Amino acid sequence: AMRAAGLLLAWALLHGSASHQCHPGSPGGVLRFTDRHAEIRVPALHRVPSSLDPLYGLVRRCLDLIQQNPLPTELLRTALNDPGSVRTSQVVQYELGYVVCAAVALLFTVAVPVAGMCFCYCRSRRRCGGRLRAHRRSLGCRRRCLLACLSLTSLVILVSVTCALVTSQRVKGQMEPGLGAVPATLRTLRQHLANVPQGVQMVVDTFEVPRKQIISDLGGLSRSVGLSIHAQLQAMTYAALADLQDRAGDLQTSLHHLQIVARTARALAAARAELEPALRERRSRVVALLDDPRCTSCASVLGRAQSLELGADYGKVPSVEKVLKALAGLPRSDFAEMIRQGNGTFNSIPELAVERMAQVIQDLRQDLARTAEKVQSIADGFPLPDYTRPASEALAEAEARSRPYLREAERFEHYRWIAGTVLCSIILLILACNATGMALGAYGLSKREDPSDYECRGEAGAKFLLAGVGLAFLFSWLLILLVFATFLIGGNIQTLVCRNWVNQEIYKFIDTPGNLPPSMNLTRQLNLRRDSNLSSAYRECKSGAGLWEVLQLDKSYDLDEHLKTPKYTADFQKRLGDFTARLGDVRLLRSEGRQDLETFARSGVDEVDYGRFQEEMKNPVVQTSLPGLARNLEGLQKMQRNSTVAGRLGAEAQALWQMQNSTVQSQEALVARLGESVRFLSRLAPHLKERVKRTLATVASVEARLPVQAQQILRQEIGCFTRKELRYFTQYLNWVGQMLREDVASCQPLATALDNGRVILCDRIADPWNAFWFSLGCCTFFLIPNIIFAVRLTKHFRPIRNRLISTGSEETCPFHIPRVTALKL
C-alpha cells in the first residue's frame, strides 16, 4: 500500500510538472546601474516664496491696469524688419498707459518745484508757516488731527521707503548673479552639446553590467538544469526502483520458501514412514499390557491406547517440484547491481547536463560578445556631433553678443542703486525731521502756559518740520524722475516680456513666419526639424525629448529602433531555443531481469493449493497425545499391586516419552517451519502476477517517460532562463533610453535654460525692480500730504499772535534764524 501511494505521488508530480512555473524573480533579477549623469548640467531655478510676494502681486495688477494691450505683433514685426518705418503714433498708442504716467510724472516734476518756490516766496513774505492769529477752542482738536495725519503719512512713507530699500538691495543682490547666469548658461549648453558623445559612450559601456550578470548566470545554467530535472523526476524514479527492488525481494524470498516447502514435505513423509511401524508396535504392546487381568484399573486407559495412531499425512499435499523446476537457475541477473546502476545513472544527470551543455554555453558567451558589438552601434550611429554644430555656433554667438549689453545693464544698475540709496536716505532724513519736529513741538506745547508765550522748543520743532518740507521740495523732482525711469523699464519688461513669456505669446511670435528677420531665424540657427519651431521644440524638450528628436536629422536616427530588444537577443534566444540534449536515458531493468520477473510470474507459484498444506497442518503428527498417554501409564503404575505389571507400565511410559522427545517433536518443528513458508506463499500467490505486471509496466513507463519528461523540463528551464536574461537586456535598453532622453542626450537643458531666464529676469529681477519704483513712488506721492500737514502744523508750534513779541526774545531761542522783516500785528 505504501509503495502504491508512492507511485501515485510520483505520477502526480510527473503530470504536474508540465504546468511548472518559473521560479519567482529574486531581488537579484533586477540590475543596478550606476547613474551616468551628464557631466555638464543646467540646474533648474524656481521662484522662491518671499514675504514680499503680496507686494509683487499688487505691482503686477497695477501694471496690468496701466498696460492692457496684448503683445504688439505688428509693431514688433515692423521694428525688427524695418526699424525706420516705425511710426511714433503706433508706439504711443501701444504705450498709452505709460504716456499717461509720463504726463503725471512730468506734471509732478514741474508742479512740485514750482510749488516749492511759491512756498519759499510766501515764507519770505511771512505768509506761510507763520503764527496763528487768534486763540480758539478748536485749536487743540485741529492740532491733534494734524499730528495724527502727519504721523500716519510719515508712517506710510516709512513703510514705503523701507520696502524701497529692501527691494533695491534685492535687485542689486539678484542682478549680478542673474546677469552672470546668461553667458554661464549659454556656455553650459554648448558644453552639454559637446559632451553628448562622451556621455553616450559611457552609457553604452554600462552594458558590462548585464553582460557580467548573464555570464554569471550562464556559468550555473547547466548544473541548475540538471538539478531541476533530477529534483522533479526523483520521486517517480525512486518509487519505480523501490518497487523493482520489492519484486526482486519477492522472487528471492519465494524461491527460498518453495525450497523449504519441498524439503520439509519430503522430510515429514519420510519421518511418518519411519514412525508408523514403531508406533504400531508400541500401541500393540501397550494394549496387551492394559488388557492383562493383573493390571488393576487399566480398563479406563485401554480405549485411549487403542486409538494411538498417526495423524497428518504429508504425502498427500501438492508437490511444488514443478514450480521449483520452473524457477531453477533464477535469478539469472543481479538485481541489486542493476538497481544500483540505475540509481547511479539517474543521480548523474546534473553532471551529464554540465557535460552536454558545455558547448552551447561557450557559443552563448560568443553570442554575448557579438551582442556587445551591436550595442556599441548605439554610440557609433549617434549622429549628434554633426547636427549640433549650428546650435553650438549660435549659442557661442549669443554669448559673445550678450556680454556688452550685460555690462551696460550692470553699470546702469550700479547707478540706479546709488541714486535709489541716496534718495531713500533723503526720505529718511525728511522723516527724521518730521519726527523731531513733532516731538519738539508737542513737548514745547506741553510746557507752554500761555499760548502767546514764546517757547524755543516749539519754535525749533516748527523749523525741523519746515526743514523736512524744504528737503521734500528740493528732491521730489529727482525722486519722480528715478521712479519714472525705473517704472518705464521695469513696467515694459513685465508687460511686454514677462507676461507674454508666461503665456508663451513670445514663442508664438517667434514661430510665426515673417516676424523675425532672416538673420534671426532661430529654427535654422538651432538646426531644428523642418516641421518644428521654437514652441514645439520647447514643449518637446520640456516633456523630456532627446536632442536627436528636435534637431534636423532627416529622420536618420531612430532611437526606439536601436533599443528594440530582439535586435540584440535574436541569436542568443535562437541558440537557446534550438538546443536539445537527451538527459533522461536511464535503464532501470535490463532484459534478463525482465525475463526473470516474467518467469517468476509464470512459474505457477500462485497455482499451488496452499489450502491443502494448511488443512494437513491442522492434524497432529500422532492422533493421541503421547505425553498424555505416558502420564496415564505412570499414574496406573502407582496403583498396581503386582510389581511385574507396574514395572512393565513404567517401561511403556518411558518408551512413549522417548518417542515424543526424539521423533514426534522433530516432526512438529518441521511442521512449524513448513507453516511459515506456506503462510508467506499463500499471501504472495494471489497478487503475484498483478504486482509483477504492474512493476514491469511502471518500470517500462518510467524508462520511456524519463527522456521525454527530462526534455520537457530542459525546455522549461531554458525558457525560464531565456526570459530572465531577456529581462536583463530589456532593463538595460530601457535604462539606456531613459538616460539618453532624460539626461545624457536630453534637450531638456534647453527648456530649462529658457525657464531659468524667465525666473531670473521676471521673478528675481523684474519683481523686486518694479516693487522698488512702486514703493519709491508711494514715498514720492505721499510727500505732498506730508508737506501740507507739516506746513499747517508748524503754526501750532509757534505762539499765538495776540500781543507784540520783541525780536530780542526770539534771538535768545536756539535754532532761530533771524529774518530781516517787520513784525506785523
Side-chain angles (χ1 to χ4, degrees):
M2 292 299 293
R3 298 297 181 188
L7 285 173
L8 289 176
L9 176 61
W11 282 109
L13 291 173
L14 181 64
H15 292 296
S17 62
S19 60
H20 176 72
Q21 300 297 324
C22 297
H23 301 294
S26 61
V30 179
L31 297 177
R32 296 289 183 266
F33 298 103
T34 302
D35 289 340
R36 301 289 186 179
H37 293 299
E39 295 184 359
I40 308 300
R41 302 177 65 85
V42 179
L45 302 179
H46 302 283
R47 180 184 180 90
V48 180
S50 170
S51 57
L52 294 175
D53 284 347
L55 177 60
Y56 298 159
L58 176 62
V59 176
R60 284 195 293 270
R61 287 191 291 273
C62 291
L63 288 173
D64 289 339
L65 290 176
I66 293 171
Q67 177 57 282
Q68 300 181 7
N69 296 323
L71 183 69
T73 305
E74 296 296 331
L75 180 60
L76 289 176
R77 180 188 297 117
T78 304
L80 292 172
N81 291 277
D82 188 10
S85 63
V86 176
R87 297 194 303 273
T88 306
S89 59
Q90 293 177 311
V91 179
V92 171
Q93 183 180 359
Y94 176 74
E95 298 279 351
L96 185 59
Y98 294 100
V99 172
V100 173
C101 293
V104 174
L106 180 62
L107 178 63
F108 188 95
T109 305
V110 174
V112 174
V114 170
M117 288 187 290
C118 292
F119 177 76
C120 290
Y121 175 77
C122 292
R123 185 76 183 94
S124 67
R125 305 296 295 173
R126 303 186 66 82
R127 294 181 180 277
C128 296
R131 298 179 179 89
L132 295 173
R133 296 182 179 276
H135 178 72
R136 298 182 181 85
R137 292 182 178 179
S138 62
L139 286 179
C141 180
R142 291 175 59 189
R143 186 186 304 118
R144 286 190 294 273
C145 182
L146 288 172
L147 275 170
C149 290
L150 184 58
S151 298
L152 181 60
T153 304
S154 300
L155 180 62
V156 172
I157 295 175
L158 178 61
V159 173
S160 299
V161 75
T162 303
C163 290
L165 285 170
V166 171
T167 52
S168 178
Q169 190 62 33
R170 186 161 294 183
V171 171
K172 184 178 184 299
Q174 293 292 339
M175 184 66 73
E176 183 176 355
L179 295 178
V182 174
T185 301
L186 295 174
R187 184 168 56 255
T188 300
L189 289 175
R190 286 193 296 110
Q191 293 174 348
H192 172 71
L193 294 177
N195 287 345
V196 166
Q198 179 182 355
V200 173
Q201 185 61 48
M202 291 172 62
V203 170
V204 169
D205 290 343
T206 311
F207 180 69
E208 190 68 13
V209 174
R211 191 184 73 83
K212 286 183 177 179
Q213 182 62 49
I214 294 172
I215 288 177
S216 175
D217 292 346
L218 283 173
L221 173 62
S222 54
R223 179 162 293 276
S224 174
V225 169
L227 291 175
S228 181
I229 294 173
H230 184 272
Q232 294 184 50
L233 299 181
Q234 65 179 355
M236 173 185 69
T237 305
Y238 289 163
L241 288 173
D243 200 34
L244 179 61
Q245 187 174 10
D246 288 345
R247 299 292 80 76
D250 289 344
L251 172 60
Q252 294 282 0
T253 308
S254 298
L255 184 59
H256 172 68
H257 284 293
L258 285 171
Q259 291 172 349
I260 290 176
V261 167
R263 289 197 304 268
T264 305
R266 288 195 300 270
L268 287 173
R272 188 178 190 279
E274 293 178 3
L275 181 60
E276 184 178 8
L279 184 62
R280 187 183 311 112
E281 179 183 358
R282 185 59 54 196
R283 181 184 58 189
S284 62
R285 294 183 59 152
V286 171
V287 170
L289 178 59
L290 293 176
D291 197 30
D292 189 342
R294 292 174 297 175
C295 187
T296 305
S297 301
C298 293
S300 59
V301 184
L302 181 60
R304 191 170 187 179
Q306 290 175 346
S307 63
L308 187 64
E309 57 184 15
L310 292 174
D313 185 1
Y314 290 95
K316 300 178 180 178
V317 297
S319 174
V320 295
E321 294 298 332
K322 181 179 178 181
V323 178
L324 286 173
K325 184 178 181 181
L327 296 177
L330 295 183
R332 289 185 293 271
S333 57
D334 188 348
F335 282 95
E337 178 64 19
M338 192 186 310
I339 292 172
R340 188 187 64 79
Q341 290 180 358
N343 197 17
T345 303
F346 177 74
N347 290 334
S348 66
I349 285 179
E351 288 74 16
L352 183 62
V354 172
E355 178 185 345
R356 298 280 176 85
M357 296 184 70
Q359 184 59 44
V360 73
I361 297 297
Q362 182 63 30
D363 294 340
L364 289 171
R365 290 195 174 114
Q366 295 175 359
D367 290 341
L368 201 57
R370 287 190 290 270
T371 301
E373 297 175 359
K374 293 180 181 179
V375 172
Q376 181 60 36
S377 66
I378 298 177
D380 296 341
F382 211 70
L384 280 182
D386 297 333
Y387 293 92
T388 56
R389 188 175 298 109
S392 299
E393 294 174 353
L395 292 173
E397 183 180 0
E399 180 183 354
R401 289 187 176 184
S402 66
R403 291 186 182 277
Y405 297 102
L406 295 175
R407 285 194 294 268
E408 288 298 320
E410 188 174 358
R411 187 167 61 88
F412 175 78
E413 162 56 22
H414 181 66
Y415 294 147
R416 182 211 62 82
W417 180 79
I418 293 176
T421 303
V422 171
L423 292 177
C424 287
S425 300
I426 293 174
I427 294 174
L428 291 175
L429 184 58
I430 293 172
L431 293 176
C433 291
N434 286 350
T436 306
M438 287 188 290
L440 289 175
Y443 183 67
L445 288 176
S446 65
K447 296 298 183 180
R448 185 184 298 169
E449 296 178 357
D450 186 354
S452 62
D453 287 344
Y454 190 88
E455 210 286 321
C456 61
R457 284 181 289 268
E459 184 68 18
K463 289 179 179 180
F464 270 110
L465 290 178
L466 289 177
V469 171
L471 290 174
F473 279 128
L474 283 174
F475 295 100
S476 60
W477 67 277
L478 290 174
L479 286 169
I480 198 64
L481 287 180
L482 180 60
V483 168
F484 180 72
T486 53
F487 158 73
L488 187 62
I489 296 174
N492 275 290
I493 289 177
Q494 173 61 36
T495 57
L496 185 62
V497 179
C498 295
R499 187 171 63 189
N500 294 293
W501 199 337
V502 172
N503 57 26
Q504 298 189 3
E505 288 295 326
I506 289 181
Y507 297 146
K508 296 178 183 177
F509 174 80
I510 295 174
D511 294 336
T512 303
N515 283 348
L516 298 179
S519 61
M520 298 177 62
N521 190 339
L522 295 180
T523 301
R524 179 174 52 80
Q525 290 179 351
L526 296 177
N527 199 28
L528 300 179
R529 293 196 318 266
R530 292 190 180 93
D531 60 343
S532 179
N533 51 39
L534 187 60
S535 297
S536 61
Y538 171 77
R539 287 192 299 270
E540 291 177 11
C541 293
K542 188 78 173 175
S543 62
L547 281 169
W548 65 92
E549 295 175 317
V550 299
L551 296 181
Q552 181 62 49
L553 302 182
D554 297 328
K555 298 182 179 179
S556 61
Y557 189 81
D558 186 355
L559 181 64
D560 292 331
E561 184 66 28
H562 281 77
L563 297 182
K564 288 184 177 179
T565 305
K567 181 178 180 180
Y568 306 97
T569 61
D571 295 340
F572 189 88
Q573 192 172 359
K574 183 176 185 302
R575 192 174 299 279
L576 282 171
D578 294 343
F579 174 73
T580 57
R582 293 188 64 84
L583 299 175
D585 292 335
V586 179
R587 292 298 303 275
L588 303 181
L589 182 63
R590 291 193 292 270
S591 58
E592 57 270 20
R594 180 179 298 276
Q595 292 176 1
D596 285 350
L597 292 180
E598 291 175 349
T599 302
F600 178 43
R602 296 193 304 267
S603 63
V605 175
D606 57 330
E607 298 175 359
V608 177
D609 188 2
Y610 298 102
R612 292 284 303 277
F613 285 93
Q614 293 172 349
E615 291 178 0
E616 287 298 325
M617 284 188 293
K618 292 178 182 179
N619 300 321
V621 176
V622 180
Q623 291 289 354
T624 301
S625 175
L626 293 181
L629 182 58
R631 283 191 290 272
N632 290 334
L633 293 178
E634 289 173 350
L636 291 176
Q637 179 184 3
K638 297 176 181 179
M639 298 171 57
Q640 300 302 318
R641 291 187 294 272
N642 188 321
S643 60
T644 303
V645 173
R648 291 177 60 189
L649 286 172
E652 291 300 329
Q654 186 64 31
L656 290 175
W657 279 114
Q658 184 178 0
M659 182 178 292
Q660 172 66 29
N661 293 332
S662 61
T663 304
V664 175
Q665 281 186 358
S666 62
Q667 292 187 34
E668 288 176 349
L670 291 175
V671 171
R673 186 179 181 185
L674 177 63
E676 293 177 1
S677 298
V678 168
R679 281 191 298 272
F680 172 82
L681 293 172
S682 62
R683 287 194 304 268
L684 175 67
H687 312 289
L688 176 61
K689 289 185 177 179
E690 179 184 352
R691 290 180 180 178
V692 172
K693 181 180 180 181
R694 186 179 68 243
T695 298
L696 294 176
T698 299
V699 170
S701 177
V702 169
E703 287 181 342
R705 291 188 63 85
L706 271 177
V708 177
Q709 195 66 25
Q711 186 66 23
Q712 291 178 359
I713 297 173
L714 172 67
R715 299 306 321 151
Q716 174 184 294
E717 291 296 322
I718 288 181
C720 292
F721 175 81
T722 303
R723 289 190 290 274
K724 178 182 177 183
E725 306 313 311
L726 291 183
R727 284 197 297 271
Y728 290 147
F729 280 105
T730 303
Q731 288 179 47
Y732 170 72
L733 294 174
N734 290 339
W735 177 81
V736 169
Q738 180 182 1
M739 291 300 297
L740 293 182
R741 285 191 172 93
E742 298 180 4
D743 201 333
V744 174
S746 172
C747 78
Q748 194 166 21
L750 301 177
T752 302
L754 291 175
D755 292 340
N756 288 352
R758 180 185 58 77
V759 171
I760 293 173
L761 178 63
C762 300
D763 296 339
R764 299 191 177 184
I765 296 179
D767 278 350
W769 177 290
N770 290 324
F772 165 73
W773 64 252
F774 184 83
S775 301
L776 196 61
C778 288
C779 296
T780 304
F781 282 103
F782 271 94
L783 284 178
I784 297 176
N786 178 81
I787 293 172
I788 296 172
F789 294 139
V791 170
R792 292 181 66 86
L793 189 58
T794 55
K795 297 182 178 183
H796 290 271
F797 292 158
R798 289 174 172 166
I800 298 174
R801 292 184 178 183
N802 54 6
R803 62 184 177 88
L804 291 174
I805 302 175
S806 66
T807 58
S809 63
E810 293 182 359
E811 292 174 356
T812 61
C813 180
F815 307 104
H816 176 68
I817 303 174
R819 297 187 182 90
V820 188
T821 57
L823 180 62
K824 293 184 180 181
L825 296 176

